[in-house]
Amino acid sequence: MATYRILIAFILVLSCHFLRADFNSILKGESLADYQQLVSANGFFKMQFFSPGKSRNRYLGIFSTRPSLDLYSDVNGGGDEKALWIANRDDPITDTSGSLMIAPDGRLIISHKEGNVTLFSATPTTATNLTAILLDNGNFVLRELNTNSSVNRTLWQSFDYPTDTLLPGMKLGINLRTGHKWSLTSWVNDQAPASGSFTFGLDPNGTNQLMIL
Ligand SMILES: *[C@@H]1O[C@H](CO)[C@@H](O)[C@H](O)[C@H]1NC(C)=O
Ligand SMILES: *[C@@H]1O[C@H](CO)[C@@H](O)[C@H](O)[C@H]1NC(C)=O
Ligand SMILES: *[C@@H]1O[C@H](CO)[C@@H](O)[C@H](O)[C@H]1NC(C)=O
Ligand SMILES: *[C@@H]1O[C@H](CO)[C@@H](O)[C@H](O)[C@H]1NC(C)=O
Ligand SMILES: *[C@@H]1O[C@H](CO)[C@@H](O)[C@H](O)[C@H]1NC(C)=O
């Protein structure tokens, strides 16, 4: 009898855990571990750690859950779809210790055994109520909330840092004031999503032409 009770308690704990893991957002102080995923409210996009092909490196990526968008189903091997966006393409994690979190000081980071990958660190100290949410268009955004839980402002968004895939709502170009560039950059190869040799974006010489460099 006691064994059953323990078993039932264990199953309850497990199912709560997995229910929570299906949420679309994390709050300050919460984290997304290597084995968990965020799923957008409409179920079209998910965010999780993955290893491309035979690589053992771990990357945090956003994927489409819809087979019709699976343009590259053979790329990653194992029938996995290709990541539409990668948080740490040039900072692979070598084990499964990675976890995405909003640190107590408001930085958005992937914390792992050997250090932290910082996605955003310029959080104003006045911004206390923070949430990072995977939206229905595949954009992952760090937001400050008001006390009534409406959105105060967006501090950072993945759409400002495209990987190699342009999704509806993303843009390409250059912000002439800040110098920020929105461009697409190829993977090195199927096993290595690091920034490769080809970039597609606005001509840096200001001719207003989109070009592949
Ligand atoms: C990584 O970030 C966490 C959370 O802010 C912090 O506790 C830890 O010291 C950091 N580790 C390194 C190596 O910077
Ligand atoms: C943070 O937002 C929640 C709703 O999401 C609200 O209940 C809470 O009062 C807020 N806290 C602060 C300090 O604004
Ligand atoms: C929530 O709070 C903000 C700022 O305090 C306010 O501008 C907004 O109108 C409020 N929204 C609702 C639905 O009460
Ligand atoms: C947004 O948050 C800042 C800092 O907490 C606050 O000063 C400002 O009034 C907020 N804006 C709205 C619309 O609530
Ligand atoms: C931009 O201009 C420089 C100097 O005129 C030239 O060397 C370079 O090739 C140009 N780049 C592109 C992409 O046209």
Side-chain angles (χ1 to χ4, degrees), residues 146-150:
N146 296 313
T147 31
N148 60 12
S149 82
S150 65

Side-chain angles (χ1 to χ4, degrees), residues 27 128-131 144-150:
L27 297 171
T128 48
N129 228 351
L130 299 170
T131 184
E144 179 181 359
L145 299 180
N146 296 313
T147 31
N148 60 12
S149 82
S150 65

Side-chain angles (χ1 to χ4, degrees), residues 77-208:
D80 285 346
E81 67 272 46
K82 190 178 175 209
L84 303 170
W85 181 82
I86 300 177
N88 59 321
R89 71 186 305 185
D90 294 313
D91 297 293
I93 298 168
T94 55
D95 56 28
T96 56
S97 68
S99 99
L100 172 75
M101 63 170 76
I102 304 174
D105 61 6
R107 282 172 307 141
L108 182 64
I109 59 172
I110 303 171
S111 167
H112 61 105
K113 258 191 211 147
E114 287 155 16
N116 293 322
V117 177
T118 302
L119 302 180
F120 182 75
S121 62
T123 310
T125 46
T126 51
T128 48
N129 228 351
L130 299 170
T131 184
I133 180 169
L134 180 59
L135 299 177
D136 282 342
N137 60 355
N139 194 7
F140 181 60
V141 301
L142 178 67
R143 287 170 163 173
E144 179 181 359
L145 299 180
N146 296 313
T147 31
N148 60 12
S149 82
S150 65
V151 178
N152 178 309
R153 55 183 153 169
T154 294
L155 297 166
W156 175 93
Q157 55 179 344
S158 64
F159 271 18
D160 281 340
Y161 302 88
T163 300
D164 70 341
T165 307
L166 193 70
L167 289 172
M170 276 185 177
K171 59 184 169 191
L172 297 176
I174 302 174
N175 180 328
L176 293 175
R177 195 170 49 81
T178 63
H180 183 80
K181 288 194 182 93
W182 295 270
S183 57
L184 307 178
T185 300
S186 60
W187 289 28
V188 169
N189 62 45
D190 297 350
Q191 325 272 330
S195 303
S197 312
F198 299 98
T199 293
F200 179 68
L202 210 58
D203 176 8
N205 286 355
T207 61
N208 277 331

